[in-house]
Amino acid sequence: MSTDSQADLDVADVLALLRAATTADGVRPLSEESELRLQHGGPPGGGNLVVRDGDDLAGYARFDTGRDGGVEAELVVHPAFRRRGHGSTLLSRLLERAGPRPVSIWAHGDLPGSAELLAPRGFSRARVLLQMRRHLDEGDLARIDPDPRPALPDGVHVEPFRPGRDEAAWLRVNARAFATHPEQGSWTAEDLRLREQEPWFDPEGFLLAWRGDPDEGGQLLGSHWTKTHPAGDVADEPVGEVYVLGIDPDAQGMSLGRALTDLGLAHLRSRGLGQVLLYVEEDNTAAVRLYESRGFRRHAVDVSWRRATA
């Protein structure tokens, strides 16, 4: 059985499936973006697929149209119904929807079953996203001032995000900072609005670096948006995240990335968190070096598998 209709989809059942898979595999099977689209709908060209084992929900897939016109998807099979062909069924239906278009499928955690499913169908590894982690209660950061004052360029100051006032400026800089990134650079006002409504959203942990007065023509140079995952989400205890760290291309070379990283980590530490994670493309060597210099180490990987043509 499959469905594309948000109205026909039992979101609660899918969320329960996602929780079961997370518990079994130690990694969330869907990205935050896909979970938001599952719950709120998404742009035209996307949809949902489910497969059932009798009356039970056995598997779920979310697919959307990528920036290149191809199909981008994620799929998961309930741990209780694996090795029964449900993953293959979901994949076949995704490929039917895609037709001759290229297809990319994210495999979170790079679990062995992903290669077993995708490689025989013509998919190959195309992108690697690193999850890096570090402790906030070990080493130098355990002694960091919760209100640090890093060296900033002349005329630059850091303030928390102001909902209802700073959205347009942040979206502009985000698009410029991530112009070549297939997902982050295409965020819309609606994408930002949905996250502002999430329970984890905290404007105090959304730090903006301005040159001049933001209400008097000031220029936004960069930002560090942090996030806190509740206990049980990515670990048994709450974990912080370097959610989005972006610098306007015109402000590169000013050491803002380093300063904003330290300010964001200090904010998370001040909230009593002991660990922080982030995601970064494996081939973004400059960013990987920056994070390693701040004590981050590789923890897990997500892999995008791609089939160029049918």
Side-chain angles (χ1 to χ4, degrees):
M1 173 183 176
S2 65
T3 180
D4 295 328
S5 170
Q6 194 73 17
D8 295 339
L9 190 69
D10 191 328
V11 174
D13 277 356
V14 178
L15 292 175
L17 185 158
L18 300 182
R19 289 192 295 271
T22 300
T23 300
D25 301 329
V27 61
R28 295 174 65 176
L30 258 63
S31 65
E32 176 191 71
E33 185 65 38
S34 289
E35 286 198 27
L36 285 171
R37 291 179 177 181
L38 161 66
Q39 296 178 73
H40 304 287
N48 308 284
L49 297 172
V50 298
V51 61
R52 297 190 178 277
D53 193 303
D55 294 331
D56 297 315
L57 180 63
Y60 169 77
R62 172 73 202 183
F63 63 91
D64 287 282
T65 301
R67 295 176 72 178
D68 64 354
V71 172
E72 297 180 353
E74 295 164 284
L75 63 86
V76 56
V77 175
H78 194 291
F81 298 106
R82 291 175 180 173
R83 301 293 177 180
R84 301 186 187 183
H86 296 310
S88 182
T89 298
L90 278 173
L91 179 58
S92 294
R93 290 175 180 167
L94 280 170
L95 296 179
E96 289 172 5
R97 298 297 177 108
R101 292 180 293 168
V103 180
S104 296
I105 297 178
W106 277 103
H108 298 285
D110 196 20
L111 301 174
S114 302
E116 295 174 10
L117 175 66
L118 297 170
R121 304 293 288 269
F123 285 82
S124 58
R125 295 163 70 98
R127 289 172 60 194
V128 177
L129 187 66
L130 301 179
Q131 184 191 134
M132 304 181 75
R133 294 194 184 190
R134 69 145 296 151
H135 290 283
L136 290 175
D137 52 3
E138 297 177 2
D140 291 341
L141 278 178
R143 298 186 295 273
I144 197 168
D145 186 341
D147 185 25
R149 301 181 183 277
L152 294 170
D154 290 343
V156 175
H157 61 283
V158 176
E159 297 182 6
F161 179 86
R162 301 170 302 171
R165 300 176 71 178
D166 292 333
E167 282 84 354
W170 184 83
L171 284 167
R172 175 183 176 276
V173 171
N174 180 71
R176 286 172 54 79
F178 295 97
T180 61
H181 193 282
E183 293 94 20
Q184 185 65 41
S186 61
W187 273 29
T188 65
E190 177 65 7
D191 293 323
L192 180 54
R193 185 191 68 80
L194 286 175
R195 286 161 176 81
E196 288 184 63
Q197 294 180 337
E198 285 293 289
W200 57 262
F201 179 73
D202 175 15
E204 292 299 315
F206 193 167
L207 306 175
L208 308 185
W210 294 93
R211 172 176 281 135
D213 187 334
D215 294 323
E216 298 292 338
Q219 180 186 9
L220 181 62
L221 302 180
S223 67
H224 182 182
W225 186 354
T226 67
K227 174 180 180 178
T228 298
H229 295 267
D233 191 13
V234 295
D236 292 338
E237 69 280 356
V239 175
E241 180 178 347
V242 177
Y243 185 57
V244 185
L245 176 64
I247 308 299
D248 190 286
D250 290 343
Q252 294 290 345
M254 299 169 62
S255 298
L256 273 178
R258 186 180 297 271
L260 285 168
T261 298
D262 289 346
L263 285 165
L265 294 180
H267 168 79
L268 293 171
R269 184 71 180 105
S270 74
R271 293 297 195 261
L273 301 174
Q275 191 174 181
V276 61
L277 65 84
L278 58 83
Y279 294 91
V280 61
E281 300 279 348
E282 185 180 48
D283 60 3
N284 188 346
T285 54
V288 172
R289 283 198 301 269
L290 169 64
Y291 295 133
E292 288 178 338
S293 75
R294 287 297 181 262
F296 285 89
R297 298 294 180 263
R298 300 184 184 205
H299 178 79
V301 298
D302 296 340
V303 176
S304 176
W305 290 78
R306 183 173 175 84
R307 190 190 72 168
T309 58

